[in-house]
Amino acid sequence: MRDAPRIRLAGPLLLLAALLAAPSPPALPAEDGFEAAAKAVNAALGGKDPGALADALWDLRSHDGAPAARLLLAAALRRPVPDFVLDAAMDALGAFRSAEAAGVLAEEAGRARGDARFPVLEALGRLKHDAAGEALLPFLEDPDPRLRTAAVRALADRKSPSPAARAGAEKAAADPDPRVRSAAVAALAGWRGSASGLPLLGRLVAERGRLFGDAWRGLMAVTGERRPPDPEKWADWWRTMPGEEGWHFDAPPPEPPAPSLDLAGLLCWSRRVVFVLDTSEGMADRPGYRLEEILPAGVKEKGGKALEEWAAVKSRLDHAVMVLRGAVEALPADASFDLHFGDEAPAALFRRLEPATAGAKERAAGRLKGLNGKARQDFGRLIRSAWAGEPDRDPVSEEAFLGGADTVVYVGTALPSWGPERDPGRIVSSVRRWNRVRQVRFLGVGVGTHGSDLLAGLASLSPAGGSASIP
């Protein structure tokens, strides 16, 4: 997670003085409380508790206008603060509706450079004035695909998109970069309504990897129907629309691709996967497995070494290893993957995504042998490693964006027991912010007694993932 902000008393005092002295619209009446709220922010900036800063920023929500927008920018969006503090600032901005506040953010978006633009785009998506949404549209054409992704993701936050925003999302659904397309598919699915149906159907025909599944789920979301992942079946639905009875594809669609993953009932079509295995002490529990309850279909009939290995399962870690081995072995040849182990210093098998060749799968199986559940789990560091490739790398860096996974599969207890951040809500808060740029789908498989709330929270992030459990 992000480091705690460096607090210097003189800086915040000067900041507040400058904000209050800067030219702005006529001062708000004293009784509206803005001056007191601003002083509370200043006091929190001079303290050591980021929770107090989050509370003070949230209290600005009832002071819609340029002064409060400038203060939120200076106190949270331009400074390195914990993600839960930034959440409080975004929630406050999400209550704003004024053209003045929208103008402050739009001006900041045009002035900011580099990664500093990401939180400003997020704020424009949250603020309810139409001008804030319009200010996002130019970023849909930015050369940096990370910025295009963040802009589309911000548009998705606007529950009633303008015609221009919807048109921008439809165009983004055909962007050359899959992360931009992912954000666009999520936006169209979130807006619901039959207007999203045809562009989502177009992606169901065009996509062959993870976004094929995303488009399928998007169609189910906007229609409320449960049709199989087959373009022809969904074309039948579109022909029920008024005036579309004779609609047909320009060319016959290809056969639907087969899923690359079917893990504990979680389906995925991803070709870029990072598997994460919890090796903490909780995984060493030996609950007394009954072979017939955990044996995959077909293993008993096949017999031989595979049956022997399943019969040797004694602990939760043993069971998780067998499940992961099966998932890795089933990856298609055009997929790439890596395997991270969870302990105090997460280590990757390859340190980058490796093509799913027979040799790579064999090396993964070798690394999975002989593991012991004995370490504590720094879940925050482990999940950062999965998003970034290494635990100390930036999950939204250009390197991670271009070379990282589009799907993370976690198998374990999901119980943070070690590290600087063990609060599940704050961990989810950080991953949510990374995903506004990265668009990684999270699939969580809880083993035995596990942190189901944490897995469900991560699975609920856009793009929507899933969670399940095994004994």
Side-chain angles (χ1 to χ4, degrees), residues 55-64 68 72 88 91-96:
D55 291 341
L57 294 172
W58 166 235
D59 286 342
L60 291 171
R61 68 191 181 280
S62 58
H63 302 288
D64 184 1
L72 286 160
D91 289 344
L93 288 164
F96 287 9

Side-chain angles (χ1 to χ4, degrees), residues 29-99:
E31 59 269 18
D32 75 4
F34 172 67
E35 184 175 352
K39 288 180 178 178
V41 171
N42 184 65
L45 285 167
K48 295 182 179 180
D49 178 15
L53 178 58
D55 291 341
L57 294 172
W58 166 235
D59 286 342
L60 291 171
R61 68 191 181 280
S62 58
H63 302 288
D64 184 1
R70 291 194 187 100
L71 183 54
L72 286 160
L73 274 173
L77 276 66
R78 292 176 184 158
R79 305 170 65 248
V81 296
D83 287 301
F84 78 93
V85 174
L86 192 52
D87 281 347
M90 294 297 176
D91 289 344
L93 288 164
F96 287 9
R97 297 176 177 274
S98 69

Side-chain angles (χ1 to χ4, degrees), residues 91-117:
D91 289 344
L93 288 164
F96 287 9
R97 297 176 177 274
S98 69
E100 293 78 12
V104 168
L105 290 174
E107 182 181 355
E108 181 73 11
R111 180 171 51 225
R113 293 292 179 266
D115 294 2
R117 293 172 292 183

